[in-house]
Every structure is written in C-alpha cells, then in structure tokens.
Amino acid sequence: PLIVAALLPLSVTEARVTFTNSEVLQASDFAWKDNVYRAAFKCDNGCSAYTDSRANNLYITEYDGNVYKAIVNFSNMGGNVRALPDPYKLNASNSYYIEDRGEKKPYDFVFYVVDRHAPNADTPVMVIDDDWGIDGNGEERLFTILSSKYDSVRYDQFAGGFQKGFPRIYSTGFDAVAEKECRPLYQASSQESASLSSITVFSPISTVEYGNTEAHNMHVAWNKDNSFAHNIRSSTVYSSPGYVGCSYTIQSYSSSIDKIEDGFFPSVISLDINGVYDQVTKDETVLLRVDEIILDFNGTGTLEKHFFYPSPFPLACSMSWQRKTATARWAVQMDFGMGEPNPAVSSTTLKAESTTSSGFEKAFLVSIIVSIIALF
Ligand SMILES: *[C@@H]1O[C@H](CO)[C@@H](O)[C@H](O)[C@H]1NC(C)=O
Ligand SMILES: *[C@@H]1O[C@H](CO)[C@@H](O)[C@H](O)[C@H]1NC(C)=O
Ligand SMILES: *[C@@H]1O[C@H](CO)[C@@H](O)[C@H](O)[C@H]1NC(C)=O
C-alpha cells in the first residue's frame, strides 16, 4: 500500500492490498528483517500468482518452521511469453512469502496472487513490457493488466462489441470485478464515447470488463508523464493515485504520484459528473472547476451533477489535487456529450440547465450565456 513520506499514519504501513479472493503486493510492502526484504501473502485454498517482473533475485519462498525454502524465482515464473504470463500455481499454505534475495534493494514490481476458487479465474493476465503497450484483441469478457512502471497507464481505442454500460475499467484484478463492494473507475456512457475516450489509471493492476464475449479490442500503454488526454464526446476520469475502489479496504496501492493537475476546454452540450470520495481531509480538498462552478470536495461522500447546454458551450474544466494523507481516496468520471444542437432552441429562449445543481449554478450558467450572446 501507499507510502507518503513523513505524513503517513503508521497504521497504514500494514503490507499489501487484500481483497476477498486475492492480494496485490508491491516493493513497498517488503519489510526488512533478518537481513532480507520479505512480505507474506495468502494462499488459503491454493492460488495462482502473476507478476510483471522477471527479476531473478525475487523469490516465492515457504517457511517450513525452520527455514525459508525457495520455491521459484520470478525469472522462472510465467512461461515464455512475457506479455501473457501463465499463472504460477501454488498449493494451499499459510506460510508463503515473496523475498528479495538479491542486491537488497527492491525495485518496482506488482505481484498478484489470486485464490483458486476466485471468480473469473480464466481471465487472461497481461503485462505491459515495452513502450508500445498492449493491444487487447479478443473475445474475452475480461482482461487484467499488470504494470508497475510509471505508476500510471492509459487505456484508449476501445472498439468492437460491448454490452450496454460497458466497457468498464476496474483498478483491481479480475476477481474483485465480481464483487458488489467494488466499483469501476470508468464505465462507458455509450459505445461512441468509449471509442473516443482515453482513460488514465493510477494503478499497478487494472481489469477491463466488456460485458460480453464478442470481438473487441483496446489499447493500453504506460502513461509516462501521468497526463490526461481529452476528446469531445468522451469521458475523462480522475482519481487519487493508487485508487482501489472496493469499500471493504481503506488501502491504496503504492504510488510515486502524489499530485494531479489538469485543465482543458471542451465545447459540449452536456456534462455528467459522477464521483465518490472518502477520507479526503480539508487540507487536501480536491479542486474541480467547471467554468466558475466550484465542485470542490473533501470529507466522505458522492458527487453527481448533470449540466445541459442548448448549443455547444465552451467550458473551462480544471482539476487539481495534492495528496496529504495516505488514506484519502477518490474517483470522478466526467462524461462530455456533443449531440446535435437542438434546433427548437432559438437564441431568445436560450437557457442552460443543470438538473441537480443549485439555483445559483443555473443562474450562473444563464448569466454566462447571456453575456456571451451580448458579445455578438
Ligand atoms: C531461478 O530459479 C531457477 C529454478 O527455479 C534456477 O535454475 C535459477 O538458477 C534461479 N536463478 C537464480 C538467480 O537464483
Ligand atoms: C500440490 O499438491 C498436489 C496434490 O496434493 C501434489 O501432487 C503436488 O506435488 C503439490 N505440489 C507442490 C509443488 O507441492
Ligand atoms: C473543505 O474544507 C474546507 C476547510 O479547509 C472547508 O472550508 C470547505 O467547506 C470544505 N468543503 C469543500 C467542498 O471545499
């Protein structure tokens, strides 16, 4: 889980992110003890392990009451195809560990270990291994992606057949997708919107759910500068780095990113905003602005706003956040819509509406539009 230098309440240094049927470990989960970096993981019923690392100093070991026996090193896990590792199957045990037996300096990796009875166990797990990234072509209902480098990936080029409301992206492994306590980071508002969207994910593990088994594809690659890409008629997703999205854990993945900054000017007819946030302290209030409308949030809650404009309306959108605590977590999806301008709306009846927003926001939008009209 997340380490924020010096600001961290000690309670959250508890290692690894634990799900109902899996665990995700990273280098920061190692504890230095008896001259070795080591971290325990669960395998109560037998399990499958996946990692994006091929380091030969990283081992799976088992404590037999006396010594830590080497079972395999990461260079011998996963088979021949680096981008599509085979699961490494382990029998049930309560004394498995990962260990660094090398240069005593753990570097980036993600280790995903999932119970043999977990849902969606046939899901392909892929590893981003080069600058090009992965083309996820196929008919699978789900794809899980591992990538510990840069702490950020970006999905785009969704195409093909999806069930309505899909694709979705979870910042978890395939097992948690089946749990009602886990929410997607991104959920397509329409097929067209999905095909135009670029979704930035600040997680070492993520799963795409298509909802069906038709032919479809997507592209995912390292997002080296942690940036966001925008397109009209598409979605933008912001989240706290390391965001997990399952209500039963307060943990986040470890991330070197502690700051989010973005600004852009879409010209749209509609904007739907949906967000969740938890334990965001006052001095790390998330600053979200849509023109002069202040949608900042802190504390714990949900955000839901809908804005409609009678004709394409240029919005100044901005997002800014700086992490101050390890436990703060939040995610916001913004869906920008660009239908045909409504011919029934003449300039004299022009008005803007925000379905759930306050009278102030409505009044404000109307006043912006009126002042823009006044310019002509
Ligand atoms: C990694 O493990 C394989 C077999 O499990 C072994 O042949 C190889 O020597 C190991 N590499 C290191 C560096 O220990
Ligand atoms: C796992 O368990 C099976 C069945 O008990 C056994 O045949 C196999 O040798 C075990 N594998 C390891 C690596 O211990
Ligand atoms: C967030 O925290 C500040 C205190 O710094 C408070 O004034 C504000 O009302 C809180 N809520 C929002 C939405 O900013």
Side-chain angles (χ1 to χ4, degrees), residues 31-47:
W32 176 251
K33 201 166 166 252
D34 303 331
N35 277 328
V36 69
Y37 280 111
R38 186 178 285 137
F41 67 87
K42 285 200 309 178
C43 183
D44 298 339
N45 306 299
C47 55

Side-chain angles (χ1 to χ4, degrees), residues 55-59 70-77 88 101:
N56 60 14
N57 58 306
L58 296 174
Y59 281 78
I71 293 181
V72 67
N73 59 50
F74 285 16
S75 69
N76 288 85
M77 286 173 62
Y88 187 83
R101 294 189 167 185

Side-chain angles (χ1 to χ4, degrees), residues 110-123:
V110 56
F111 181 79
Y112 173 48
V113 58
V114 56
D115 192 280
R116 62 188 281 256
H117 299 313
N120 306 322
D122 296 337
T123 302

Side-chain angles (χ1 to χ4, degrees), residues 281-283 285 295-298:
T281 63
K282 288 177 176 163
D283 61 351
T285 297
L295 298 166
D296 299 358
F297 52 90
N298 55 31

